[in-house]
Amino acid sequence: MDNYNWERKKILIAEDEETNFLFIEAILEDTKAKILWAKSGIEVINQFKQNKDINLILMDIKMPEMDGLTAAKKIREIDPNVPIIAQTAYAMSEDKNKCLKAGCNDYLTKPINHRLLLSTIDKYLAPEELLGSGK
Ligand SMILES: [Mg+2]
């Protein structure tokens, strides 16, 4: 049973195809994560600049205007730490290497697997800090 609680997390989903976005959104619904949607690499950059509290980016590679690899490189210039998980239709190892070289932390192959999506995101979402616990 998947049982993730990300109600204090904000996830930016970069995906140009609405059906794919809705599919991912439905998978994440039970986690209570706050979801933002960018439909191009340009929108990824703009939304990331406007939302400094984004905890993770799920990055489609094939998008109009600016592809996900270019967007990932530009995000890395702004923030070296925010986790970026690429989602790519290309299963070739060369493409996986391109994703990692562009600054992505990890990659998922389309069609997206429900459980693998959740477990991969969980791996990169930092646990809640116990500020002021004094222990
Ligand atoms: Mg696409």
Side-chain angles (χ1 to χ4, degrees):
M1 181 71 189
D2 299 317
N3 187 24
Y4 299 104
N5 184 343
W6 299 330
E7 62 185 344
R8 300 170 83 168
K9 304 295 186 185
K10 193 180 273 190
I11 298 174
L12 176 59
I13 299 174
E15 172 59 66
D16 61 311
E17 291 179 44
E18 185 173 20
T19 50
N20 291 347
F21 167 75
L22 292 174
F23 177 70
I24 293 168
E25 186 185 45
I27 293 173
L28 295 179
E29 188 177 5
D30 285 344
T31 71
K32 301 187 179 74
K34 180 140 180 8
I35 302 296
L36 299 176
W37 182 17
K39 297 169 201 166
S40 74
I42 300 285
E43 284 188 30
V44 172
I45 306 300
N46 289 340
Q47 293 214 33
F48 189 74
K49 284 178 177 168
Q50 287 161 19
N51 297 274
K52 300 289 187 194
D53 55 344
I54 285 171
N55 299 102
L56 183 141
I57 301 173
L58 191 63
M59 185 81 84
D60 184 24
I61 296 305
K62 199 176 170 201
M63 291 188 291
E65 293 177 6
M66 180 195 291
D67 65 46
L69 293 178
T70 307
K73 285 177 195 160
K74 291 189 180 292
I75 291 291
R76 279 289 167 258
E77 291 169 10
I78 303 168
D79 185 330
N81 298 318
V82 64
I84 304 174
I85 300 171
Q87 41 156 341
T88 172
Y90 316 115
M92 309 273 290
S93 63
E94 194 183 326
D95 293 303
K96 292 172 180 174
N97 287 334
K98 277 185 198 165
C99 294
L100 300 178
K101 260 191 174 170
C104 298
N105 300 78
D106 216 326
Y107 50 82
L108 295 168
T109 305
K110 290 181 177 182
I112 295 294
N113 174 279
H114 182 134
R115 281 173 173 258
L116 190 57
L117 174 66
L118 291 172
S119 64
T120 304
I121 291 176
D122 188 57
K123 197 162 74 177
Y124 290 98
L125 281 180
E128 296 291 335
E129 287 176 42
L130 300 172
L131 290 173
S133 70
K135 303 255 162 101

